[in-house]
Amino acid sequence: GFPQKSGFMQDYDWQNYDGVLTDYSCHSNLLDFYINAGLALHYTLSCGIGFSLDWQFQTRKFIAQGGYKAYPLDESQPNWEYGENERVVEYTPKSHLVGLGVFYTARLLPTLELRAIATYIPFIHTVAQDYHVWGRTFIDIMTGYVGYRGQLMLSHLFSEKARLSLSLYYEHIPVLKGENFMREEYQSSFYKTSALGGASWKDFSVTLSYRHEFF
């Protein structure tokens, strides 16, 4: 994906590792890049129903700009405001996902095809780097065992090997948990903290694509 504005980013920090929120910040969010690649095996029955086994690699980079930082527990410190385009946080998760799917393909017209895909994701492994420009970097190494994905694809067939497709895509990973590591700017290596790394996401997208098979 190309760089584009993408809502806002909220950052919650528990600096004392005692479960009490210490810092909060809110910023404009920029999606710097997005990559989704993978492999899939399909088996289709004569009735149009099929089954799939797939692996996906996903990575993206979010950049938080501008906004403000607040100190909820210490009112003696004023909120800190950042410049409009000032970089504050860079968040880059890299994920491997394994999916088991079932799909149905229907030929609506001689040149129009509809495919619906439902996928259960029994394994997700994510390494996420959380870089703060004031000098601290966190890495969360997390694993999860429940996720869901759905896709609806409408395709115009120019031939059996060429098609133009409009797709609706939704993915939900409810919870990932794992270990947290940290490094200060002046340190050469990361060390494990007592904090728990965690993440979840919901991803919805609309895509227009062209596919051509050469073999």
Side-chain angles (χ1 to χ4, degrees):
F2 299 100
Q4 57 184 304
K5 292 184 178 180
S6 180
F8 61 93
M9 180 188 293
Q10 294 175 293
D11 184 37
Y12 296 84
D13 293 318
W14 292 264
Q15 302 285 359
N16 298 326
Y17 306 111
D18 58 2
V20 178
L21 180 67
T22 57
D23 302 343
Y24 166 80
S25 62
C26 184
H27 319 274
S28 298
N29 189 47
L30 174 71
L31 176 61
D32 191 40
F33 64 79
Y34 173 65
I35 298 172
N36 188 338
L39 298 171
L41 298 174
H42 296 94
Y43 179 75
T44 305
L45 303 175
S46 58
C47 61
I49 296 176
F51 305 93
S52 64
L53 170 64
D54 70 79
W55 162 80
Q56 285 192 12
F57 170 74
Q58 300 177 4
T59 183
R60 65 201 82 190
K61 181 177 182 179
F62 297 105
I63 300 175
Q65 299 175 315
Y68 67 93
K69 181 177 182 179
Y71 303 84
L73 301 182
D74 188 353
E75 296 182 358
S76 65
Q77 299 188 58
N79 292 347
W80 179 269
E81 294 188 0
Y82 297 94
E84 181 178 357
N85 296 317
E86 183 179 356
R87 290 194 176 196
V88 185
V89 179
E90 297 178 2
Y91 184 69
T92 310
K94 298 179 180 180
S95 302
H96 296 269
L97 305 92
V98 176
L100 301 172
V102 58
F103 60 87
Y104 177 71
T105 305
R107 187 66 65 89
L108 304 179
L109 296 171
T111 59
L112 191 64
E113 181 181 277
L114 179 66
R115 172 173 288 195
I117 309 170
T119 303
Y120 173 68
I121 306 172
F123 180 78
I124 312 103
H125 180 72
T126 297
V127 177
Q129 178 172 294
D130 182 11
Y131 169 68
H132 295 249
V133 296
W134 39 267
R136 183 172 289 176
T137 303
F138 299 91
I139 289 182
D140 293 329
I141 301 177
M142 303 164 289
T143 303
Y145 302 99
V146 177
Y148 310 96
R149 182 188 303 135
Q151 187 174 12
L152 193 63
M153 180 185 301
L154 185 65
S155 300
H156 173 73
L157 309 179
F158 298 100
S159 68
E160 288 299 321
K161 294 189 175 183
R163 65 179 60 204
L164 181 68
S165 301
L166 177 66
S167 298
L168 302 179
Y169 177 94
Y170 177 76
E171 182 177 273
H172 181 203
I173 306 300
V175 62
L176 298 175
K177 292 184 179 181
E179 297 177 326
N180 175 264
F181 299 83
M182 188 182 77
R183 185 188 70 182
E184 300 284 359
E185 190 173 30
Y186 58 84
Q187 294 175 319
S188 60
S189 59
F190 288 86
Y191 64 90
K192 184 179 178 180
T193 74
S194 59
L196 180 67
S200 65
W201 69 78
K202 295 179 181 179
D203 185 7
F204 176 75
S205 61
V206 180
T207 60
L208 182 65
S209 61
Y210 175 77
R211 175 182 172 183
H212 187 89
E213 299 178 11
F214 294 93
F215 303 100

